[in-house]
Amino acid sequence: MKAASPNASQTARQRARAELTREIKEAARRQLAETGAPQLSLRAVARELGLVSSALYRYFPSRDDLLTALIIDAYDSLGEAAEAAATANGTAGPRGGWRAVCRAVRHWARANPHEYALIYGSPVPGYQAPRDTVGPAARVPLVLGKLVLESQAIQAASATDPAGRAGRASALREQMSPVLAAQAAIVAGAIAPGVPEPVIVRVLIAWTQLFGMISFELFGQFVGSADPADDFFGYAIEQMIAYIPIAG
Amino acid sequence: MKAASPNASQTARQRARAELTREIKEAARRQLAETGAPQLSLRAVARELGLVSSALYRYFPSRDDLLTALIIDAYDSLGEAAEAAATANGTAGPRGGWRAVCRAVRHWARANPHEYALIYGSPVPGYQAPRDTVGPAARVPLVLGKLVLESQAIQAASATDPAGRAGRASALREQMSPVLAAQAAIVAGAIAPGVPEPVIVRVLIAWTQLFGMISFELFGQFVGSADPADDFFGYAIEQMIAYIPIAG
DNA sequence: TGTACATCAGTGAACGCGCGTTCACTGATGTAC
DNA sequence: TGTACATCAGTGAACGCGCGTTCACTGATGTAC
């Protein structure tokens, strides 16, 4: 069984490497929670793992690369949570899916406030995000787009007056500037092909609304008003669903 | 004229003090733009002013106090911009006022991105905001509340069916949980007394929407979708006005 | 299967830099008689 | 109006700490014959 699996043969060392890479990121995440991204310290991470600081350079070529890895992980973790929520509520229709996804995003953010701040808070000064973050960052929008597509399919099927609907849609489109319509078309192509631009813009609005609420909640802007935010959040989601609208 | 003005007599020194206090904050703001709040360094500020670092302690007892002053200044500066916009469009009615205020908030944020991040971005790790920030932070909500009050007055005057309106309002209120209704009542008391709770909640939603969009724009989430964001922003504001609604 | 060599993980010392805060001090500005 | 004293701004040295990154090294793990 020598060369049965080249992965397995390299593993003793490689597995240790993968393991330590994971532990470094975990320790870094714990640090995030204590000091925030801008103050994340390689030396402190190494200390926590009982390593000498220079050892980390075998795993990440620089502090920024470690940060990038954390950012990608955060987007992926949030994306997974959203996808899982959509899948779990798959049978309940897009409206239930939308609700579930919004709740899952909020739940993830509250459970991982520092990772949330890392990806949706102020940019880390002096840090430039590489292209690798784009894909993972798009996972939540993709989930929302899929639900809108499902919703549109339902509405099309049950429409009693397709011509009227189309007329209304084009009237709405006329209120949009060409620039906005073009941007919406690009977004549609990426997350929900075939969905009319006005609906796409409403989804963009809902998207900013969703993260706006979560940021306000986590960053303390609701103190003295919608705090605790559970009921406000729930209500706002229902309003969103009615506004876009997402079919049930 | 010896004791004509006690302020003037103390002034030589006091004016110098006020002046330097201002210069310190200005230099600190410049630093913010370069390195961000978490890395704001007293020593660098002192260096820029040609002072020795310990001299700053005559003006601010600690780094956190300087940060607090910057935060309060930022809220005040944004609040002033919003108030000025509302006043300038005072005659054009609440709808024009709402538009103007939203634009002014965005304009201020784009002109002062680091101060915006300071107050609406991730909290500075290890920094606890004192009570003094609450008042200045409430200025934008207060402006919005005033516009809603004006709008409600117009709607009440031109209502053809007050009973129907009241009925619809109470139907909406029934969809709200008691907790949310109570929160809305408190907010109403603070910014728009007498405005029905469902309308207040819509204003809260619009408020989170407004800052959600601005944060996404400044923090780079729109890259690849609504970037540049001018048209999207304008469209979203109109949707907001129609949704609340704000009378013209 | 056993040996010779290459790869790579982790060490420890060092470079060169930064920070917030304290403290005793000098000298100028203001105050009271 | 002039002098004696108190207030306060700014200095410079120091304390005790942190950081990212480089580099020559030891010793263990893996590879090829």
Side-chain angles (χ1 to χ4, degrees):
Chain A
M1 260 178 59
K2 197 166 36 175
S5 151
N7 301 331
S9 71
Q10 291 181 347
T11 313
R13 192 126 87 178
Q14 281 203 328
R15 257 195 313 220
R17 184 177 183 81
E19 171 75 6
L20 232 186
T21 305
R22 238 198 45 231
E23 279 178 21
I24 290 169
K25 293 197 286 186
E26 264 171 31
R29 267 189 283 271
R30 252 172 274 133
Q31 278 246 339
L32 269 193
E34 281 164 30
T35 64
Q39 331 256 18
L40 178 72
S41 150
L42 286 188
R43 293 186 101 108
V45 169
R47 228 176 283 131
E48 181 173 335
L49 296 174
L51 290 175
V52 93
S53 65
S54 53
L56 296 196
Y57 287 80
R58 296 269 168 214
Y59 298 87
F60 297 93
S62 78
R63 200 193 85 115
D64 272 14
D65 291 276
L66 175 55
L67 259 186
T68 299
L70 293 180
I71 288 172
I72 291 174
D73 280 8
Y75 276 125
D76 274 329
S77 165
L78 171 60
E80 258 172 53
E83 285 159 15
T87 308
N89 279 58
T91 57
R95 183 173 296 176
W98 187 280
R99 254 183 223 121
V101 169
C102 289
R103 278 175 209 283
V105 170
R106 174 168 179 250
H107 186 262
W108 183 90
R110 286 162 53 97
N112 306 278
H114 297 92
E115 286 177 86
Y116 180 86
L118 181 64
I119 52 183
Y120 289 106
S122 351
V124 179
Y127 170 83
Q128 182 65 17
R131 307 259 164 221
D132 323 23
T133 60
V134 172
R139 289 174 73 168
V140 169
L142 267 172
V143 172
L144 296 179
K146 207 171 158 197
L147 291 168
V148 171
L149 263 180
E150 284 176 40
S151 163
Q152 291 288 112
I154 290 177
Q155 286 170 328
S158 69
T160 51
D161 176 15
R165 282 180 53 81
R168 255 171 290 138
S170 73
L172 273 173
R173 196 177 289 114
E174 276 161 25
Q175 293 171 16
M176 292 172 42
S177 78
V179 170
L180 181 55
Q183 290 171 339
I186 291 172
V187 173
I191 67 168
V195 172
E197 283 96 6
V199 175
I200 291 292
V201 174
R202 285 170 177 238
V203 171
L204 283 176
I205 289 176
W207 177 56
T208 58
Q209 162 74 36
L210 171 63
F211 284 93
M213 287 191 295
I214 293 174
S215 292
F216 264 25
E217 179 180 6
L218 290 186
F219 299 167
Q221 297 285 345
F222 280 159
V223 173
S225 56
D227 174 41
D230 304 68
D231 292 23
F232 173 68
F233 188 84
Y235 189 90
I237 298 304
E238 296 309 316
Q239 297 276 304
M240 226 185 239
I241 287 170
Y243 164 73
I244 296 181
I246 303 293
Chain B
M1 263 183 51
K2 196 165 39 175
S5 152
N7 300 332
S9 73
Q10 291 180 350
T11 312
R13 192 127 85 179
Q14 281 203 328
R15 258 194 312 220
R17 184 178 182 82
E19 172 75 4
L20 232 186
T21 305
R22 238 198 44 231
E23 279 178 20
I24 291 169
K25 291 197 288 187
E26 264 171 32
R29 266 188 284 272
R30 251 172 275 133
Q31 278 248 337
L32 270 193
E34 282 164 29
T35 62
Q39 332 256 20
L40 177 71
S41 149
L42 284 189
R43 293 186 103 111
V45 169
R47 226 177 284 133
E48 181 172 337
L49 296 174
L51 289 175
V52 94
S53 66
S54 53
L56 295 196
Y57 286 80
R58 297 269 168 215
Y59 297 85
F60 296 94
S62 79
R63 199 192 87 115
D64 272 14
D65 290 275
L66 175 55
L67 258 186
T68 299
L70 293 180
I71 289 172
I72 291 175
D73 280 8
Y75 275 126
D76 274 329
S77 165
L78 171 61
E80 257 172 52
E83 285 159 15
T87 308
N89 278 57
T91 56
R95 184 174 295 176
W98 187 280
R99 255 183 224 121
V101 168
C102 289
R103 278 175 210 282
V105 169
R106 174 167 179 251
H107 186 262
W108 183 91
R110 285 162 54 98
N112 305 278
H114 298 92
E115 287 177 85
Y116 180 85
L118 182 63
I119 54 183
Y120 290 106
S122 352
V124 180
Y127 170 82
Q128 181 64 17
R131 304 260 166 220
D132 323 25
T133 59
V134 173
R139 288 174 73 169
V140 169
L142 267 171
V143 171
L144 297 179
K146 208 172 158 194
L147 290 168
V148 171
L149 262 179
E150 284 176 41
S151 164
Q152 291 289 112
I154 291 176
Q155 285 170 326
S158 70
T160 52
D161 175 16
R165 281 181 53 80
R168 253 170 292 137
S170 71
L172 274 173
R173 196 178 289 111
E174 276 160 26
Q175 293 172 16
M176 294 171 43
S177 77
V179 170
L180 181 56
Q183 290 172 338
I186 291 173
V187 172
I191 67 167
V195 172
E197 283 95 8
V199 175
I200 292 293
V201 173
R202 285 170 177 239
V203 171
L204 284 176
I205 289 176
W207 176 55
T208 58
Q209 163 73 36
L210 171 62
F211 285 93
M213 286 191 296
I214 294 174
S215 292
F216 264 25
E217 179 180 5
L218 290 186
F219 299 166
Q221 297 286 342
F222 280 159
V223 174
S225 56
D227 175 42
D230 304 69
D231 293 23
F232 173 68
F233 188 85
Y235 188 89
I237 299 304
E238 297 309 316
Q239 297 277 302
M240 226 186 240
I241 285 170
Y243 163 72
I244 295 182
I246 303 292

